[in-house]
Amino acid sequence: MQNTQDYITAFIEGYICAIIGERMTIAKVSEVGLNNAKHSAEKYVEFQIEHSDFSEEEKEAMKKDYKLWAESALQGMKKRLRDSGRLL
């Protein structure tokens, strides 16, 4: 049963990423919208980490790493959108 849930989760995550990627190539995006999306993604990842089987030490390291990654990814997206004239 767990493998089936893993496949379903991976499929849904991939589908969502594909939709976002497609929209990002043609849409204009607001800076506020990107900030809100980052905040929502951080909450989701934090929930996943908290409910994982990792040790508390590993969880803390993962939380630190994902926040750095999220900020780096956000700044990269903003730069690309700004450079292409699609950041509102």
Side-chain angles (χ1 to χ4, degrees):
M1 184 65 163
Q2 184 62 29
N3 281 342
T4 302
Q5 288 176 335
D6 291 343
Y7 289 132
I8 292 169
T9 300
F11 175 80
I12 291 171
E13 288 172 353
Y15 179 74
I16 291 169
C17 288
I19 289 172
I20 291 169
E22 179 184 17
R23 290 183 183 167
M24 291 287 284
T25 61
I26 59 173
K28 293 199 180 251
V29 181
S30 73
E31 200 160 342
V32 171
L34 285 176
N35 291 337
N36 288 339
K38 176 190 165 221
H39 179 72
S40 295
E42 285 178 332
K43 291 296 179 190
Y44 173 77
V45 171
E46 192 172 293
F47 178 83
Q48 293 296 319
I49 291 170
E50 282 299 320
H51 293 87
S52 70
D53 293 330
F54 292 105
S55 70
E56 290 304 314
E57 185 177 284
E58 290 170 315
K59 288 178 182 181
E60 288 305 312
M62 292 171 81
K63 285 179 187 178
K64 181 182 176 192
D65 289 344
Y66 93 81
K67 287 184 180 187
L68 291 173
W69 172 85
E71 186 59 31
S72 176
L74 177 66
Q75 294 310 315
M77 281 191 267
K78 284 181 180 181
K79 181 181 182 332
R80 284 194 70 168
L81 290 165
R82 193 175 296 114
D83 291 350
S84 67
R86 293 183 292 137
L87 184 65
L88 302 176

